[in-house]
Amino acid sequence: MIWRNIASNFLTVAVVILIVAAAAVAWGKRQYSGPGPSAIAQCVQVPPGASLDSVSKQLSEQGAVSSSYIFRTGADYAGKSRDLKFGSYLVRPHASMDEILRVITAGGPSTCGIEVTYRVGVRENSVVLRDVDPTTGEYVEQVKYDPATGEVPEAITRAEAQRGTRMRLTVAEGVTSYQVVQGLRQISLLAGETGSVPPEGMLAPDTYAIEKGLERRKLLDDMEKSQAGILAAAWEARPFDLPYKTPEEALVMASIIEKETGIAAERPQIASVFVNRLRDGMRLQTDPTVIYGITKGREVLNRGLRRSELAARTPFNTYQIPGLPPTPIANPGKAAIQAALAPADTNYLYFVADGTGGHAFATTLEHHEANVAKWRAIEAEQGAAAAALAGQGQGTGVSN
C-alpha cells in the first residue's frame, strides 16, 4: 500500500510538472510571437561581430523585448542564432520577438541610426547629420553646414568618430567634374589626392557609402566605372536610328538634357526636341551649353546671358555652331542618359518654360512664339510681384 501511494503521488507530481512545463512553453511561445512591449518604433543596432547574447540584452534594455532569455531561446530554436547581420534596423511599434529576429537576420540596407551625408550640389555643398525619430520612424535633420565656409559642428565630429554611423556621399545630377573634385577635397574624412579632374560627364551622380580614410582617387574611379557601365548598357539597348555616332556623343546629349530640366518625366520629351533638331539640321540653340563655354563648369553663372555671349562663335555656343558641343557640359544621371538614347517619339522642335517649373512644347515656330509670349507675361508678373514685395514699407518718395 505504501509503495502504491508513493507511486501515485509521484505520478501526480510528474503530471503537475508536465502541465506546468507545458504551460510555461505555451506562455513562452506567446511571449515570443505576440506583440512586443515597445509602444514606439525602435532602432535596433547590430554591431559588427555582435553575439546573440549581447544583442538580446541590448533589446531588453531598450524595451524592445520582454525577455532576453526567451528571445535567445527562440533564435536558437529557429536556427538563426548565428545569422545576425551588421546594421541598424527600424522595427515597428509592438514588434514581436519573432519579427525582430527576422529583421536583424535578413540583412539589407540600414533603415535607422545616425547618418552623415556629404552632398555635392550644383549651387552649394553641404554636410547633413540625420537620425531617426523613433516616434514617427522618419529621419530628422539635426545639423547642417556648408563645408566651404563653416566650422565643423561638434555633433558632426562626434558622429564621424562614433562606431556604427553611416556616412554617405551624394553627388547631385548635373554637377560638373570640377565641382565633384572640389567637393571631395572639402571632406576631411577622405584621404589622398584627387589627381587630375576626370573627363566631363564621366562621373555617375549617385549616393556612395564612404568611410574614414577612403582614398579620393578610388572614389572618383568608382564613379567613372559606374558611369561607363550605365552608358554602355543604354547604348547597347538604343534604337539604331538615332543621330549619334558614338556613346560619347550620346553622353554629350544627356548632359544637355540634364541641365535643361529637373523634371524626370520631361526628359524624354526634351530629348526628342534635340534629336529632331539634329535630324533636321537645325542648331540646338540651348543656353546651358553657352553657359558652360563661359564658366568651364567651375562656377555658377548667376545672371542672364548677354547678347554678345549669344553672338560669340565658341565651340559650346549651340546658337552659332551646328550639332553637338565637343564635350558634355555636366555629369548626367542615369535617367538623362536613358532619355538621350530612348527619346520620346514626337514632332517637337521647340520648348520654353511654362511658369510651373516645366516646359511648353511646340512643333512650329508660330506655336513656339505664342508659348514664349505667355512665358514673358508670366516673367513680367513675377517681376512686378517681387518688386512690390521688396518695396513694402520702404516708401516711394512721392507724397499725396
Side-chain angles (χ1 to χ4, degrees), residues 245-305:
K245 296 178 181 178
T246 64
E248 289 72 26
E249 288 187 352
L251 190 65
V252 174
M253 177 63 80
S255 72
I256 297 173
I257 295 166
E258 190 70 80
K259 299 299 286 186
E260 280 287 6
T261 183
I263 300 177
E266 275 195 348
R267 290 185 179 121
Q269 291 175 293
I270 295 288
S272 75
V273 172
F274 291 133
V275 166
N276 290 340
R277 280 179 162 259
L278 287 178
R279 285 171 174 161
D280 290 354
M282 299 174 66
R283 290 174 182 171
L284 297 185
Q285 296 183 316
T286 171
D287 289 359
T289 62
V290 183
I291 293 171
Y292 186 84
I294 297 168
T295 67
K296 304 299 187 244
R298 291 173 173 262
E299 58 185 335
V300 176
L301 190 68
N302 289 312
R303 60 171 175 80
L305 287 167

Side-chain angles (χ1 to χ4, degrees), residues 40-63:
I40 62 173
Q42 291 271 9
C43 186
V44 177
Q45 296 184 332
V46 181
S51 67
L52 179 64
D53 183 64
S54 64
V55 172
S56 64
K57 288 179 180 177
Q58 172 196 322
L59 290 171
S60 179
E61 289 171 0
Q62 68 185 76

Side-chain angles (χ1 to χ4, degrees), residues 198-260:
E200 196 68 84
M202 280 308 301
L203 300 178
D206 204 344
T207 295
Y208 300 86
I210 61 175
E211 58 186 13
K212 186 175 180 61
L214 178 63
E215 292 286 334
R216 293 181 175 90
R217 188 68 243 179
K218 182 185 184 307
L219 194 50
L220 289 170
D221 290 343
D222 289 344
M223 293 180 197
E224 285 194 60
K225 183 178 179 180
S226 177
Q227 190 78 319
I230 292 169
L231 180 59
W235 179 260
E236 184 67 25
R238 78 192 187 285
F240 287 94
D241 60 344
L242 294 175
Y244 314 127
K245 296 178 181 178
T246 64
E248 289 72 26
E249 288 187 352
L251 190 65
V252 174
M253 177 63 80
S255 72
I256 297 173
I257 295 166
E258 190 70 80
K259 299 299 286 186
E260 280 287 6

Side-chain angles (χ1 to χ4, degrees), residues 91-391:
V91 296
R92 66 179 183 83
H94 297 295
S96 68
M97 298 186 200
D98 179 57
E99 182 179 342
I100 293 173
L101 181 66
R102 282 188 277 111
V103 168
I104 65 177
T105 57
S110 293
T111 53
C112 66
I114 297 175
E115 175 182 281
V116 179
T117 300
Y118 308 83
R119 187 177 188 276
V120 178
V122 173
R123 291 192 168 272
E124 66 176 6
N125 299 335
S126 62
V127 181
V128 177
L129 170 65
R130 302 193 309 163
D131 200 354
V132 167
D133 181 350
T135 61
T136 64
E138 300 290 333
Y139 268 103
V140 177
E141 181 180 304
Q142 296 185 336
V143 179
K144 180 179 180 179
Y145 83 101
D146 182 348
T149 60
E151 184 177 346
V152 181
E154 185 179 344
I156 297 285
T157 302
R158 286 199 307 269
E160 289 177 339
Q162 182 175 325
R163 188 179 184 183
T165 298
R166 290 194 311 282
M167 290 173 284
R168 299 174 176 176
L169 168 69
T170 295
V171 178
E173 296 171 336
V175 299
T176 65
S177 294
Y178 177 85
Q179 289 174 319
V180 174
V181 167
Q182 292 302 107
L184 295 190
R185 289 172 178 168
Q186 292 173 358
I187 303 175
S188 59
L189 192 75
L190 301 177
E193 299 297 326
T194 58
S196 59
V197 176
E200 196 68 84
M202 280 308 301
L203 300 178
D206 204 344
T207 295
Y208 300 86
I210 61 175
E211 58 186 13
K212 186 175 180 61
L214 178 63
E215 292 286 334
R216 293 181 175 90
R217 188 68 243 179
K218 182 185 184 307
L219 194 50
L220 289 170
D221 290 343
D222 289 344
M223 293 180 197
E224 285 194 60
K225 183 178 179 180
S226 177
Q227 190 78 319
I230 292 169
L231 180 59
W235 179 260
E236 184 67 25
R238 78 192 187 285
F240 287 94
D241 60 344
L242 294 175
Y244 314 127
K245 296 178 181 178
T246 64
E248 289 72 26
E249 288 187 352
L251 190 65
V252 174
M253 177 63 80
S255 72
I256 297 173
I257 295 166
E258 190 70 80
K259 299 299 286 186
E260 280 287 6
T261 183
I263 300 177
E266 275 195 348
R267 290 185 179 121
Q269 291 175 293
I270 295 288
S272 75
V273 172
F274 291 133
V275 166
N276 290 340
R277 280 179 162 259
L278 287 178
R279 285 171 174 161
D280 290 354
M282 299 174 66
R283 290 174 182 171
L284 297 185
Q285 296 183 316
T286 171
D287 289 359
T289 62
V290 183
I291 293 171
Y292 186 84
I294 297 168
T295 67
K296 304 299 187 244
R298 291 173 173 262
E299 58 185 335
V300 176
L301 190 68
N302 289 312
R303 60 171 175 80
L305 287 167
R306 303 184 179 115
R307 289 183 181 274
S308 60
E309 292 167 339
L310 291 171
R313 188 175 180 84
T314 73
F316 287 91
N317 189 345
T318 52
Y319 286 90
Q320 301 297 327
I321 63 166
L324 295 162
T327 73
I329 60 172
N331 289 287
K334 183 177 181 179
I337 293 174
Q338 291 175 334
L341 287 161
D345 184 11
T346 77
N347 294 319
Y348 295 142
L349 292 171
Y350 307 92
F351 64 87
V352 68
D354 63 3
T356 68
H359 295 84
F361 296 85
T363 58
T364 67
L365 181 58
E366 181 181 13
H367 187 190
H368 175 61
E369 288 176 342
N371 288 337
V372 170
K374 291 178 183 178
W375 168 237
R376 297 301 183 206
I378 293 171
E379 276 189 314
E381 290 177 7
Q382 292 174 342
L389 184 62

